[in-house]
Amino acid sequence: MSYSTFNRKQFDSLQQPMFFGENVNVARYDQQKHPIFEKLIEKQLSFFWRPEEVDLSNDRKDFLKLEEHEQHIFLSNLKYQTLLDSVQGRSPNVALLPIVSLPELETWIETWSFSETIHSRSYTHIIRNIVNDPTKVFDDIVVNDEIAKRAISVSKYYDDLIELVNLYNTLGLGVHKVPDRGEVVVTMKTLKKALYLTIASVNVLEAIRFYVSFACSFAFAERTLMEGNAKIIKLIARDEALHLNGTQHMLNLMMSGRDDPEMAVIAQECQQDVINIFVEAAQQEKDWAQYLFKDGSMIGLNAQILGQYVEYITNVRMQAIGLETQFATKNNPIPWINAWLVSDNVQVAPQEAEISSYLVGQIDNDLDGADFDDFDL
Amino acid sequence: MTTLISKPEHQDREVHRVLLGKKQILVTEDEPLLPQLERAGVQVEYQCREGYCSSCMIKLLWGKVSYPVEPLAWVNSGYMLTCCAIVKSDIEIAML
């Protein structure tokens, strides 16, 4: 029932499920039911970065040199990513914190969401550096039809869960009459089903929806264009891969029944819904690729190749949570992207760009041969 | 068949056979499977290369692998993470 910010009951938090058990009380991490979430927190903290560390002065020059249709590709992707991280910077907190029952998971959710706010800040940093009037870019996010379609898909499941949990926390279980909505059935089953679908939809968001944008950013950087942006995207991609791990664990734990036996039943019942969420997202991303390239492609990428990549990455992500793959594409059509997605350039360095582990305090992007003229060996 | 090979510059070390469809690749226990597959010209998906992103997960049809450090990614039975798994016997693998 009603949420308490400090549950006064005495209980063993190791016996609680991830969600819908007791409200959390003492934020303690010396014992954990699922140690993975504590490990994810530590990893995320070790990844900490700030967008201002990345110099974008060359990106501005590059952006002005891009063809008009390439500027469209670049800005559209930034807008879409801004939407995704606007949702992700708040929704895990709003939707999941009121129902979480494990302290390590609660803190993981907060850490995860916080890192998404860094991503949002970095889009502002990029946009402010490359265009004269950022307002034009940001204002379009809410009115652009192509982005709006995706906004509905990425927020729908969160919003359903939040509504049900609000009713549960104020009125409890039962059938409630809600103005403008009619009767809403709040049972443990409808709550848990809404939760499961939300986690699945977030998993898809972080597993697939970012990758068309990532591919375009790295394709520019392969041509030594917009390299500051690529460096930021590399850091974002590293974070997103970790967040993906978080939702994959939640889903796998739920499916296995090890955390909450009732959740395993719900996972079984919802399997087709989850497959549909994956397939729908893949289709939307393929449509998005068509929109990006409507006025022309860029070197190394076109809508068809990106579509195949979306299918491929969807297969990879579905396999990770034990689902049957749904697409025929079994090979990565743009394998060069992995050299950019790798956590750090220790093994395969795209030599033209700076290495992200040397970010802190780095100030100069503009070295040329003349800078070494007065060096004597 | 797992065999023992002797090289003057190394200690005796075990070489295992990795079956992938009709291909057969010989690997050692000196490093994880992923770089060895790459050197053999096999394209494997990867991202983090440190065990948390699960991009490099492939099917392990039979055989034994071990993880020197427990990876952060969830690995279902019948699967393995190539970026951090050491091959410990002859194995058969399959991609997507």
Side-chain angles (χ1 to χ4, degrees), chain A residues 50-93:
Chain A
R50 299 178 45 163
E52 296 77 13
E53 290 162 8
V54 181
D55 177 29
L56 294 170
S57 49
N58 284 338
D59 290 51
R60 185 182 176 83
K61 291 179 222 156
D62 290 344
F63 184 75
L64 294 173
K65 281 188 288 188
L66 292 183
E67 306 266 346
E68 204 172 315
H69 73 273
E70 292 178 319
Q71 289 189 346
H72 161 78
I73 294 169
F74 188 86
L75 283 183
S76 300
N77 278 326
L78 265 182
K79 288 176 197 169
Y80 184 29
Q81 284 182 262
T82 306
L83 162 79
L84 294 179
D85 277 316
S86 302
V87 171
Q88 279 304 95
R90 64 177 71 98
S91 312
N93 286 344

Side-chain angles (χ1 to χ4, degrees), chain A residues 43 245 249 312 332 342-343, chain B residues 45-47 50 52 54 72:
Chain A
K43 194 85 181 162
N245 180 312
H249 264 93
Y312 173 73
N332 187 345
V342 73
S343 293
Chain B
E45 182 68 13
Y46 68 87
Q47 187 167 335
E50 50 178 307
Y52 64 82
S54 77
L72 289 191

Side-chain angles (χ1 to χ4, degrees), chain A residues 148-165:
Chain A
K149 279 186 217 160
R150 281 147 195 82
I152 296 165
S153 299
V154 299
S155 56
K156 184 174 65 182
Y157 293 100
Y158 271 131
D159 294 349
D160 288 348
L161 175 65
I162 290 166
E163 183 188 45
L164 281 178
V165 169

Side-chain angles (χ1 to χ4, degrees), chain B residues 7-67:
Chain B
K7 278 191 179 176
E9 71 270 27
H10 292 295
Q11 291 178 322
D12 288 351
R13 54 180 189 167
E14 288 202 275
V15 175
H16 307 294
R17 228 168 269 222
V18 176
L19 300 173
L20 168 62
K22 287 179 183 159
K23 257 190 208 156
Q24 182 177 300
I25 302 135
L26 293 177
V27 301
T28 69
E29 297 185 11
D30 296 348
E31 56 179 347
L33 180 58
L34 177 60
Q36 304 195 67
L37 286 178
E38 287 174 331
R39 277 201 300 276
V42 178
Q43 189 195 311
V44 188
E45 182 68 13
Y46 68 87
Q47 187 167 335
C48 73
R49 298 183 85 100
E50 50 178 307
Y52 64 82
C53 78
S54 77
S55 298
C56 68
M57 199 165 76
I58 60 169
K59 290 191 187 106
L60 174 61
L61 302 176
W62 53 263
K64 227 174 90 184
V65 298
S66 78
Y67 298 93

Side-chain angles (χ1 to χ4, degrees), chain A residues 291-311:
Chain A
Y291 168 72
L292 288 179
F293 297 126
K294 68 183 169 61
D295 301 321
S297 301
M298 54 192 287
I299 297 171
L301 273 188
N302 59 39
Q304 198 197 350
I305 294 176
L306 263 183
Q308 286 167 0
Y309 180 61
V310 167
E311 292 185 351

Side-chain angles (χ1 to χ4, degrees), chain A residues 46-320:
Chain A
S46 78
F47 284 174
F48 183 78
W49 59 280
R50 299 178 45 163
E52 296 77 13
E53 290 162 8
V54 181
D55 177 29
L56 294 170
S57 49
N58 284 338
D59 290 51
R60 185 182 176 83
K61 291 179 222 156
D62 290 344
F63 184 75
L64 294 173
K65 281 188 288 188
L66 292 183
E67 306 266 346
E68 204 172 315
H69 73 273
E70 292 178 319
Q71 289 189 346
H72 161 78
I73 294 169
F74 188 86
L75 283 183
S76 300
N77 278 326
L78 265 182
K79 288 176 197 169
Y80 184 29
Q81 284 182 262
T82 306
L83 162 79
L84 294 179
D85 277 316
S86 302
V87 171
Q88 279 304 95
R90 64 177 71 98
S91 312
N93 286 344
V94 180
L96 304 178
L97 291 184
I99 53 174
V100 72
S101 301
L102 302 175
E104 70 273 18
L105 178 55
E106 178 190 39
T107 307
W108 164 244
I109 291 165
E110 290 170 319
T111 309
W112 163 27
S113 229
F114 170 67
S115 106
E116 307 282 15
T117 67
I118 304 275
H119 302 175
S120 295
R121 295 178 58 77
S122 64
Y123 304 136
T124 296
H125 179 59
I126 296 167
I127 292 170
R128 204 158 42 193
N129 271 279
I130 61 168
V131 300
N132 292 328
D133 185 5
T135 305
K136 274 191 207 152
V137 179
F138 287 122
D139 283 356
D140 187 52
I141 295 171
V142 198
V143 293
N144 183 312
D145 283 341
E146 292 300 319
I147 295 176
K149 279 186 217 160
R150 281 147 195 82
I152 296 165
S153 299
V154 299
S155 56
K156 184 174 65 182
Y157 293 100
Y158 271 131
D159 294 349
D160 288 348
L161 175 65
I162 290 166
E163 183 188 45
L164 281 178
V165 169
N166 281 343
L167 288 170
Y168 173 60
N169 276 338
T170 47
L171 302 167
L173 299 175
V175 181
H176 306 300
K177 281 208 175 92
V178 182
D180 301 329
R181 283 280 278 107
E183 288 190 342
V184 179
V185 181
V186 182
T187 61
M188 250 322 148
K189 184 135 193 203
T190 56
L191 285 163
K192 286 183 178 178
K193 190 175 172 189
L195 169 68
Y196 188 73
L197 293 177
T198 300
I199 304 288
S201 144
V202 181
N203 177 265
V204 170
L205 189 163
E206 298 188 309
I208 300 169
R209 291 188 185 273
F210 279 103
Y211 282 78
V212 166
S213 298
F214 289 170
C216 292
S217 284
F218 298 140
F220 280 119
E222 286 270 314
R223 293 158 57 196
T224 68
L225 293 170
M226 313 304 289
E227 287 190 279
N229 170 73
K231 193 197 279 182
I232 287 179
I233 298 299
K234 212 169 140 57
L235 292 162
I236 291 175
R238 181 177 68 170
D239 290 340
E240 291 306 338
L242 196 66
H243 304 165
L244 180 62
N245 180 312
T247 52
Q248 283 172 349
H249 264 93
M250 288 179 219
L251 290 172
N252 280 317
L253 282 168
M254 287 169 176
M255 281 187 270
S256 72
R258 263 167 43 195
D259 178 69
D260 174 355
E262 205 184 353
M263 220 55 208
V265 178
I266 287 167
Q268 195 63 42
E269 287 172 5
C270 292
Q271 199 185 55
Q272 191 55 47
D273 297 310
V274 174
I275 292 172
N276 294 346
I277 294 174
F278 270 97
V279 172
E280 185 200 51
Q283 187 53 50
Q284 286 186 341
E285 294 315 297
K286 288 196 272 182
D287 295 345
W288 177 250
Q290 296 284 354
Y291 168 72
L292 288 179
F293 297 126
K294 68 183 169 61
D295 301 321
S297 301
M298 54 192 287
I299 297 171
L301 273 188
N302 59 39
Q304 198 197 350
I305 294 176
L306 263 183
Q308 286 167 0
Y309 180 61
V310 167
E311 292 185 351
Y312 173 73
I313 200 100
T314 305
N315 280 343
V316 172
R317 305 315 193 199
M318 292 186 84
Q319 179 181 266

